[in-house]
Amino acid sequence: MGYRLGVDVGGTFTDLLLFDQGSGAFWRHKTPSTPHDSSEGILTGVNRICADAGITPAEVEIFLHGTTVATNAVLEGKGARVGLVTTQGYRQIMQIARSFVPGGLAGWIVWPKPEPLAKLEDTVEIKGRMDAQGREVRAIDDADIRAALEMLKAQGIEALTVSLINAYLNGAHEKRVGALAAEIMPDVPISLSHEVLPEMQEYERTLTTVANAAVRPIVGRYVRNLRGRLREAGMAGRLALLRSDGGLMTSEKSEEHPVSLLMSGPAGGVTGAIWVGKNAGIRNILTLDVGGTSTDVALIENLEARRVRTTEVGHLSVRASALDVKTVGAGGGSIAYVPELTGALRVGPQSAGAVPGPVAYGKGGTQPTVTDANVVLGYLPESLLGGTFKLDREGAKAAVQTIADRLGIDLYAAARGIIDIVNENMFGALRMISVQQGYDPRDFALMGFGGAGPLHLNAVARLMGSWPAISPVSPGVLCALGDATTRMRTESARSFSQLASRTSLDELRAILDDMAAQTRAELEAEGIAAEDVVLSFEIDVRYSGQAFEVPMEVTLDDLTAHGIGWLTGRFDDEHRRLFTFNMDSEHEIVNLRAVAMGKPPELPAAPLPEGDGDPLAAKLRDHELWMDGAMRPAVIYDRARLRAGDRIPGPAIVVEMDSTTLIEGGCTALVDRVGNILITPQAPSAESH
């Protein structure tokens, strides 16, 4: 069956998970990230994890990788210098943008408009024009195009975008510009808008294609470098990258289309959570992925993650499918401080990162962080990562004491205050994806992962009323597990734009069939067997005259059986659920999308040996921690020695190689048959308060 290797590169650690597809056995490893060149940390980890499993890198059949390279390039403004070729009269398309200004009424006075990814001086116009039906109104002129391209070349652009009006209907003009550009500047990567995003709305299409071009050189270098080094290490298997929408793409395709990688990092955790949910028999899950710098949250309904049509990174919003993940600047390294002005405790979004890190790590950090507060309260015991990592509790106490002094309160109250605030920040992010989208969090379980997720899980579940609170098997490397359990995915889009009343079912079917054939062929070309390809369709519908549409998932069978009236009826129901009203206007069918996916890998979860319900065999030592206003006795358990059916009364701590789970007083944890820890509140009668 071969091995699958999932690798997730974070700001602090690089996580690896090696899966034997035959036996279901897995190995995990954490190694410090190497920000100057991620492939170093990855190779260290690959060699180590293969040695642990007793295999050589050559036996890894597929290497799956979630990366934040594209995201960070955008956030840090380190994208390439992009040249843009537009239709005559449209040179200011990036500057005009959409007239949406964030903030209140005064926003337009104080809001500095973000610098577009393609500067005005790097934008050129060419003659030629397509009309709204995709017919040529005015021909292009090679001499004119060459002159424009030579000018961009002289300015030293590093990537090129071609985005012409109505090109989504007919890309012939763009193709010609691309061909000439390949001849004039052979080393510059070229992105054509009708290939990157064949949809109407020229600003969104141009912006998405420019964003694609901006990250291409950086992602290309990263991917080629990584592929080269893995090949040198003897790994002959396939290298695939995680897309923002939770699917996979080959590393070659990611070099051409990196705009699909902007949410690659968080997508791994969501996919991993779905795998855990499937094995634990839990279908509705809110995820809480807590890293050193930030927390990512997502909503999974009936084992399907919510997807959105736009990816947002910083203030950049591009049209590319992504899992609906919200991020807040709250993590283990978030710094606590008391501003002079208000004298009220604040936490984050500034983070101590990997260097210098929290004070307790003893790497030169001086500012109190969330991790330090957890150490002071006794929630994070002194030795971590199997005893290889000793924490400096006295240093952490001294750092948190500075906050206590500023507030004039006791040390433990200050530490608990820091934890309460960070939990509220996480709660706020979770409300955005649940309550604000019409979901009741009490209908969902909460799953905490990432290095610090299981420490905050119990408290946040209490705020949300989301039970059980789940600490999955190996929470620290769950993102890498997600990378290892993902399926190949590709999609194609097309604008349709006509009233439903004037659309015939045959016409719609013909286009969907054509798109299906195209996406299916793409996956088969990537080595997926024809019978393993699963197809699905999305149709964007709106009331005529509206400025936004609602995507409806459909199957060809349903559409054929029930017709277009069924589609518009479903849209009315969904519109009422989202906005509480419907309109009398006609329905308009706007965009069509076909999605092809490979078969999900059948990765079984290994069952634990059955216990008698008493976790005594896993007990490491007695312990004291600060909870509900006083020091309380607690027990520390070793997760590796727990058995299925064990019940752990809180307060208790479960430690493992890559994470620590905190079970609060008034709650009980149950270990399920595959080793997940499920925390629930005790019956009210047993509660002390």
Side-chain angles (χ1 to χ4, degrees):
M1 281 291 284
Y3 293 82
R4 291 170 78 96
L5 175 60
V7 177
D8 180 72
V9 179
T12 317
F13 285 110
T14 293
D15 302 329
L16 297 96
L17 191 128
L18 180 69
F19 213 104
D20 178 346
Q21 300 191 86
S23 70
F26 64 83
W27 295 263
R28 53 191 176 169
H29 183 61
K30 264 182 130 61
T31 182
S33 293
T34 48
H36 61 280
D37 175 6
S38 314
S39 63
E40 269 181 42
I42 294 176
L43 275 168
T44 310
V46 167
N47 290 327
R48 175 67 198 280
I49 202 164
C50 287
D52 288 353
I55 64 166
T56 64
E59 291 172 73
V60 175
E61 192 179 289
I62 179 164
F63 174 101
L64 307 112
H65 178 35
T67 174
T68 52
V69 173
T71 325
N72 294 345
V74 171
L75 287 176
E76 294 166 16
K78 290 186 180 156
R81 182 170 177 181
V82 181
L84 172 61
V85 179
T86 59
T87 302
Q88 208 165 23
Y90 286 86
R91 187 165 166 241
Q92 278 84 7
I93 186 161
M94 295 293 285
Q95 281 67 28
I96 295 170
R98 286 264 170 247
S99 61
F100 170 71
V101 174
L105 281 176
W108 57 274
I109 305 173
V110 294
W111 182 59
K113 211 166 173 185
E115 181 65 39
L117 289 174
K119 295 194 172 72
L120 191 58
E121 60 265 32
D122 293 336
T123 307
V124 295
E125 300 183 332
I126 61 165
K127 296 173 186 149
R129 179 82 189 226
M130 294 281 178
D131 70 9
Q133 279 67 47
R135 295 185 296 252
E136 185 178 85
V137 181
R138 186 177 173 196
I140 45 176
D141 170 358
D142 278 9
D144 169 56
I145 296 171
R146 280 181 196 277
L149 292 171
E150 289 289 358
M151 190 180 122
L152 288 177
K153 183 182 181 179
Q155 279 171 223
I157 61 160
E158 298 158 338
L160 179 71
T161 296
V162 185
S163 182
L164 305 177
I165 288 304
N166 296 325
Y168 66 93
L169 292 160
N170 180 346
H173 287 177
E174 287 192 352
K175 279 204 178 87
R176 181 64 189 150
V177 178
L180 291 171
E183 180 189 311
I184 291 169
M185 28 187 151
D187 302 333
V188 172
I190 301 160
S191 300
L192 307 180
S193 80
H194 75 276
E195 289 174 2
V196 173
L197 184 73
E199 288 184 18
M200 61 186 234
Q201 296 181 314
E202 62 275 9
Y203 172 65
E204 281 74 8
R205 178 162 48 89
T206 305
L207 177 65
T208 302
T209 314
V210 166
N212 192 63
V215 295
R216 261 183 85 163
I218 291 173
V219 172
R221 255 197 314 276
Y222 174 78
V223 170
R224 284 191 297 275
N225 180 20
L226 178 61
R227 202 165 43 218
R229 295 186 71 158
L230 289 171
R231 297 279 179 260
E232 280 165 32
M235 190 181 288
R238 285 191 310 167
L239 170 61
L241 277 85
L242 208 62
R243 297 158 47 110
S244 308
D245 58 17
L248 283 178
M249 63 204 296
T250 60
S251 65
E252 289 77 9
K253 181 136 189 226
S254 71
E255 288 180 60
E256 290 168 27
H257 213 292
V259 74
S260 299
L261 296 175
L262 287 173
M263 286 306 244
S264 171
V270 181
T271 323
I274 291 173
W275 181 82
V276 172
K278 212 173 264 171
N279 285 302
I282 292 173
R283 305 186 67 81
N284 293 341
I285 303 164
L286 291 164
T287 67
L288 181 70
D289 177 358
V290 186
T293 308
S294 59
T295 293
D296 300 319
V297 301
L299 180 140
I300 296 166
E301 185 182 23
N302 207 6
L303 291 177
E304 278 283 324
R306 272 181 67 103
R307 284 196 175 79
V308 284
R309 284 290 295 137
T310 48
T311 308
E312 293 183 20
V313 177
H315 55 65
L316 176 75
S317 172
V318 297
R319 278 275 177 95
S321 285
L323 296 179
D324 187 6
V325 174
K326 297 273 185 283
T327 303
V328 282
S334 295
I335 295 168
Y337 60 103
V338 181
E340 287 292 335
L341 196 63
T342 58
L345 177 61
R346 297 282 302 275
V347 181
Q350 306 83 349
S351 166
V355 184
V359 181
Y361 284 8
K363 284 189 184 169
T366 53
Q367 294 175 291
T369 65
V370 171
T371 298
D372 296 314
N374 275 314
V375 171
V376 168
L377 293 164
Y379 302 166
L380 202 55
E382 274 89 307
S383 67
L384 283 177
L385 290 177
T388 53
F389 205 74
K390 281 272 182 286
L391 294 171
D392 173 8
R393 187 158 187 217
E394 291 312 308
K397 278 183 165 173
V400 175
Q401 186 66 52
T402 62
I403 299 282
D405 294 347
R406 285 291 314 272
L407 295 170
I409 56 176
D410 139 62
L411 170 71
Y412 294 107
R416 185 65 215 191
I418 294 172
I419 300 301
D420 286 341
I421 288 177
V422 86
N423 289 341
E424 284 288 344
N425 288 346
M426 294 172 187
F427 176 39
L430 283 160
R431 286 185 48 158
M432 275 167 56
I433 54 152
S434 58
V435 179
Q436 292 187 18
Q437 307 210 39
Y439 293 97
D440 185 338
R442 291 169 298 191
D443 299 336
F444 291 77
L446 182 69
M447 187 182 296
F449 48 94
L455 263 178
H456 295 270
L457 169 71
N458 197 158
V460 178
R462 200 187 283 270
L463 292 171
M464 301 277 298
S466 301
W467 304 103
I470 308 169
S471 169
V473 179
S474 67
V477 297
L478 190 83
C479 286
L481 172 79
D483 295 343
T485 55
T486 315
R487 53 212 285 206
M488 293 299 260
R489 176 182 168 105
T490 182
E491 59 173 57
S492 70
R494 216 170 277 187
S495 280
F496 186 74
S497 302
Q498 75 186 32
L499 293 176
S501 56
R502 297 191 193 150
T503 304
S504 78
L505 188 58
D506 293 344
E507 176 188 14
L508 204 54
R509 274 213 54 163
I511 297 177
L512 292 175
D513 281 335
D514 182 40
M515 290 168 72
Q518 181 194 331
T519 48
R520 178 187 284 280
E522 264 184 56
L523 279 194
E524 287 177 20
E526 290 177 3
I528 290 174
E531 63 274 13
D532 289 345
V533 177
V534 183
L535 286 169
S536 62
F537 298 94
E538 268 184 18
I539 299 181
D540 291 349
V541 185
R542 67 181 177 193
Y543 290 119
S544 183
Q546 270 184 322
F548 58 92
E549 47 280 336
V550 176
M552 314 291 303
E553 282 203 11
V554 299
T555 63
L556 274 184
D557 295 349
D558 278 342
L559 200 56
T560 311
H562 308 302
I564 288 176
W566 165 79
L567 177 69
T568 55
R570 264 190 60 198
F571 166 78
D572 288 339
D573 295 345
E574 182 66 3
H575 194 279
R576 183 172 284 117
R577 188 184 84 82
L578 288 168
F579 308 110
T580 70
F581 71 94
N582 283 342
M583 290 165 66
D584 297 335
S585 331
E586 283 211 62
H587 296 87
E588 185 182 357
I589 296 174
V590 188
N591 297 313
L592 310 175
R593 270 183 302 281
V595 179
M597 282 192 280
K599 209 166 91 170
E602 287 301 317
L603 301 180
L608 285 194
E610 284 284 335
D612 57 2
D614 184 350
L616 192 66
K619 179 174 170 175
L620 286 174
R621 60 180 189 274
D622 286 311
H623 181 67
E624 265 203 326
L625 50 75
W626 201 86
M627 192 164 279
D628 298 326
M631 271 296 182
R632 314 215 172 240
V635 181
I636 299 180
Y637 296 96
D638 175 2
R639 187 159 191 172
R641 304 212 298 256
L642 288 171
R643 291 161 305 179
D646 281 356
R647 283 189 176 278
I648 304 170
I653 293 170
V654 180
V655 294
E656 60 189 300
M657 186 273 282
D658 56 355
S659 196
T660 304
T661 305
L662 173 68
I663 299 149
E664 295 195 339
C667 290
T668 308
L670 171 71
V671 180
D672 78 2
R673 62 173 198 89
V674 289
N676 299 304
I677 296 175
L678 310 179
I679 306 169
T680 47
Q682 280 163 7
S685 60
E687 291 226 356
S688 53
H689 40 269

